[in-house]
Amino acid sequence: MNLLSSVTGEMSDSKVAAVFDDESEARAIARQVQHMLHMQPAQVQVVTPHDARPGRKLEPEGRGIFRTILVAHYRLGLAGLGLGALLFVCLYLAGLEPVVLSPRLAAALIIGYGGVFGLMAGGLVSLRPDHTPYVAKVRTALDEGRCAIVVHAFDDSERDRAQEVLAAHGGETIRTL
């Protein structure tokens, strides 16, 4: 599990896609990737222009987006509050005059803003901006009549190995964080 998974609560945050021209070649390579990397069948998908709902193969945990939003906001909001409290203590101990003269107001403001910034970070994580290029590349390939192998990795090591194997087979690869 990578660091992002601990924030979002998703099983597979990291994804790798490789675009191929031939569907039968892609299916054969997908079987090899699954076998070589000891992955479950659901982790290695072939997406073709004939798929009725390719988005489900690209983002299979899409139904859990509400959970991702809640978990990311909760965890990062608490982290922001904690960092705000730490900053307040550091400023107070450093003897910063405005903080020492009005410790309650300073604590409320600094800790409150820490929480707000944490919630904003949770919103950014929930948007998953790293997935946009990945989805766009696969959708473009599908529009061109090509197909893609999509690997849903459970950790960074698995993602990196999958990208190496797919690139070695001549696929145009793209990955998420």
Side-chain angles (χ1 to χ4, degrees):
M1 187 175 266
N2 66 19
L3 178 63
L4 196 56
S5 292
S6 65
V7 174
T8 66
E10 293 179 15
M11 289 180 59
S12 172
D13 282 308
S14 297
K15 294 164 182 39
V16 178
V19 176
F20 294 92
D21 292 326
D22 183 51
E23 182 178 340
S24 60
E25 176 189 15
R27 290 194 185 284
I29 293 169
R31 284 190 296 275
Q32 288 179 357
V33 169
Q34 180 186 344
H35 178 72
M36 289 173 65
L37 301 180
H38 308 289
M39 295 180 154
Q40 300 298 318
Q43 285 183 268
V44 183
Q45 299 281 323
V46 176
V47 186
T48 69
H50 311 295
D51 288 334
R53 294 187 174 157
R56 290 201 178 177
K57 289 183 178 179
L58 293 172
E59 298 282 353
E61 295 182 74
R63 294 183 201 156
I65 191 66
F66 186 69
R67 182 181 184 284
T68 297
I69 290 169
L70 289 177
V71 169
H73 280 84
Y74 174 75
R75 290 182 179 168
L76 291 174
L78 286 178
L81 288 172
L83 289 173
L86 182 64
L87 178 61
F88 167 73
V89 169
C90 289
L91 293 175
Y92 187 82
L93 293 176
L96 189 64
E97 190 174 338
V99 175
V100 173
L101 292 177
S102 297
R104 289 187 183 127
L105 178 61
L109 288 173
I110 294 170
I111 295 170
Y113 275 113
V116 168
F117 288 129
L119 291 172
M120 289 170 53
L124 181 63
V125 167
S126 299
L127 289 174
R128 303 306 309 266
D130 62 313
H131 285 215
T132 302
Y134 150 78
V135 171
K137 181 169 184 128
V138 173
R139 291 216 181 254
T140 300
L142 296 177
D143 290 342
E144 295 170 350
R146 301 166 80 197
C147 58
I149 298 172
V150 178
V151 178
H152 304 280
F154 291 144
D155 58 39
D156 295 342
S157 170
E158 206 171 59
R159 178 202 60 211
D160 294 342
R161 288 191 333 252
Q163 186 172 16
E164 288 173 14
V165 171
L166 290 169
H169 282 88
E172 301 170 32
T173 63
I174 188 164
R175 66 174 217 182
T176 65
L177 294 176

